[in-house]
Amino acid sequence: MAAAALTREGGEDAFRRLFRFYRQRDASDLRGVVDFSAPGGQVFRSQLSVSSVSDQDAYRAGLQPVSQWKAYGLSGYPGFIFILNPFLPGCQRHWVKQCLKLYPEKPNVCNLDLHMPPEKTTDLWGQSKEQLRRKGSSKWEPRSLLEKLRWVTLGYHYNWDTKKYSANHHTPFPSDLAFLSEQVAAACGFRGFQAQAGILNYYHFDSSLGIHVDESELDHSRPLLSFSFGQSSIFLLGGLKREEAPTAMFMHSGDIMVMSGFSRLLYHAVPRVLPNPEGTALPSCLHQPLPSDLPVGSVIEHSSDEDWQVCAKYLQSSRINMTIRQVLAEGQKFPEESGTNGKGQAPSEDSYHENSKAKRHKPNTA
């Protein structure tokens, strides 16, 4: 297979070669990509801690009972868990709306803050919803501010210059997302997980995420949680060195990945965003409405038809990913900082999150 042959070539490191392969090839060349909906080969069933999450708490987070989840591991990647869409019907819509309407609001930080005054980025949803709702299929139409969104940071805000978090740059972490993360972590054997930082990535069909390791958190004993919504993508999971060839896998709407233990500090990347494999504008799981009666204490909220129309239009050509981290161990504090105010932002919009136009001007440095 062409992808396998690339790993044996000299010159560029194996991860970069496969990143470029999957970035440039058309969909007919994706036979080597692991599909967890049809597991086989190096894929095996992963055991979850069913008793750690009550059915009631799962329902409150918009999730099926943990006993019904389909979770898998990969040979050679201890600590990696892939959970096929465990969300209850309609509940993905809540997280999509939060990522587009609520989480980009101030005091959270986004890439647009680098180029625009604060008053221009205070209501991205309000400034974009009518333009998105009317949007046609022409790629020449100007993008709304929401479509120019590349990343949002939550909780402890990541300093893209120093690649560190800081006690001096922190805003309250969303309580609904913290609850969801705590239930998923507990089901994977990590009770007491504290969601302290989040990076939300917003992808379009011309987007990719560069090769990197998430190592800035001070506590690496806690897992990294990744939630995907909207269009599909190829995810590459490599080794401790870039010379090690990665494994490619599909991520579809509602899928969750957990990187813990050995897999917590492995290189990974997203070379490509793909149309959902059902061949429809949106995957069928996003067409399901929320039930009218939500459980007592649910963190899931009903979306108005008007709001969902905006979200649905956005997702027709986009994917949203939420990665949630615990930065500090229980009782741990940040080391004293010198010469920094802790509020550095990304040196450029696309040093972490690329798109095709940016790559012509600036090579990926991740």
Side-chain angles (χ1 to χ4, degrees):
M1 192 174 293
L6 281 173
T7 67
R8 297 190 291 269
E9 294 180 2
E12 217 172 17
D13 67 71
F15 203 128
R16 170 58 58 185
R17 286 197 299 274
L18 281 171
F19 183 95
R20 289 167 61 86
F21 174 85
Y22 286 114
R23 179 84 178 110
Q24 298 169 0
R25 297 283 173 157
D26 63 29
S28 63
D29 288 319
L30 303 181
R31 291 164 294 174
V33 183
V34 173
D35 186 349
F36 287 95
S37 63
Q42 69 186 112
V43 177
F44 59 89
R45 196 68 183 256
S46 183
Q47 296 298 312
L48 297 173
S49 180
V50 176
S51 62
S52 295
V53 180
S54 68
D55 289 356
Q56 181 182 10
D57 281 344
Y59 290 143
R60 289 177 59 208
L63 300 165
Q64 300 172 23
V66 177
S67 60
Q68 297 179 20
W69 295 9
K70 295 179 179 178
Y72 299 94
L74 275 177
S75 298
Y77 297 95
F80 176 78
I81 303 172
F82 191 103
I83 304 168
L84 282 175
N85 177 17
F87 289 93
L88 290 167
C91 289
Q92 289 188 53
R93 291 186 176 193
H94 170 84
W95 304 108
V96 171
K97 184 191 73 173
Q98 297 296 79
C99 286
L100 291 175
K101 185 175 183 178
L102 182 65
Y103 298 158
E105 289 183 351
K106 296 293 167 279
N108 298 328
V109 182
C110 72
N111 62 291
L112 299 179
D113 297 326
L114 308 175
H115 316 290
M116 303 171 65
E119 62 270 16
K120 296 289 187 181
T121 61
T122 53
D123 185 16
L124 301 182
W125 175 269
Q127 296 182 71
S128 305
K129 61 181 182 180
E130 290 304 325
Q131 186 178 349
L132 264 173
R133 190 180 289 111
R134 295 192 307 267
K135 197 171 183 65
S137 58
S138 172
K139 64 181 180 180
W140 303 114
E141 291 184 61
R143 284 186 168 181
S144 64
L145 287 179
L146 272 181
E147 292 171 294
K148 294 179 181 179
L149 201 58
R150 287 291 175 267
W151 52 260
V152 168
T153 53
L154 309 171
Y156 288 114
H157 297 282
Y158 187 66
N159 184 317
W160 303 84
D161 292 324
T162 64
K163 300 189 184 305
K164 294 180 180 179
Y165 298 96
S166 166
N168 300 327
H169 198 199
H170 174 269
T171 55
F173 194 93
S175 59
D176 58 347
L177 184 51
F179 186 76
L180 170 70
S181 303
E182 288 160 11
Q183 308 319 306
V184 172
C188 294
F190 295 93
R191 299 185 74 164
F193 175 85
Q194 299 177 46
Q196 296 174 336
I199 297 179
L200 314 180
N201 278 301
Y202 301 80
Y203 299 83
H204 306 298
F205 284 133
D206 60 354
S207 302
S208 61
L209 179 67
I211 305 166
H212 68 286
V213 176
D214 291 292
E215 58 185 356
S216 299
E217 296 75 29
L218 275 65
D219 180 13
H220 294 155
S221 69
R222 309 303 269 171
L224 176 75
L225 311 180
S226 176
F227 301 84
S228 186
F229 304 108
Q231 300 300 323
S232 300
S233 70
I234 295 175
F235 180 80
L236 298 180
L237 181 62
L240 295 171
K241 298 179 180 179
R242 287 173 57 137
E243 289 75 20
E244 299 177 50
T247 295
M249 62 196 78
F250 290 115
M251 271 199 94
H252 303 305
S253 192
D255 290 344
I256 301 173
M257 288 191 310
V258 179
M259 296 170 67
S260 67
F262 172 80
S263 294
R264 176 64 177 77
L265 295 175
L266 298 183
Y267 279 99
H268 54 279
V270 177
R272 186 157 158 213
V273 176
L274 301 164
N276 91 82
E278 298 172 74
T280 52
L282 290 181
S284 57
C285 59
L286 289 172
H287 288 296
Q288 300 169 314
L290 269 176
S292 56
D293 54 332
L294 293 171
V296 175
S298 175
V299 301
I300 303 298
E301 299 173 346
H302 284 279
S303 299
S304 68
D305 290 342
E306 179 184 18
D307 281 358
W308 179 244
Q309 287 173 10
V310 177
C311 294
K313 178 70 77 169
Y314 176 90
L315 288 182
Q316 286 180 7
S317 59
S318 305
R319 168 181 178 258
I320 298 172
N321 180 255
M322 311 186 301
T323 57
I324 313 303
R325 310 108 191 281
Q326 178 169 334
V327 177
L328 300 167
E330 188 73 33
Q332 188 177 21
K333 295 182 179 180
F334 288 101
E336 291 294 327
E337 299 182 50
S338 59
T340 176
N341 63 3
K343 294 190 177 183
Q345 297 306 319
S348 76
E349 178 175 323
D350 294 295
S351 61
Y352 179 72
H353 192 301
E354 301 178 282
N355 64 35
S356 57
K357 293 181 180 178
K359 288 177 70 176
R360 286 197 286 269
H361 302 288
K362 179 181 176 65
N364 174 36
T365 56

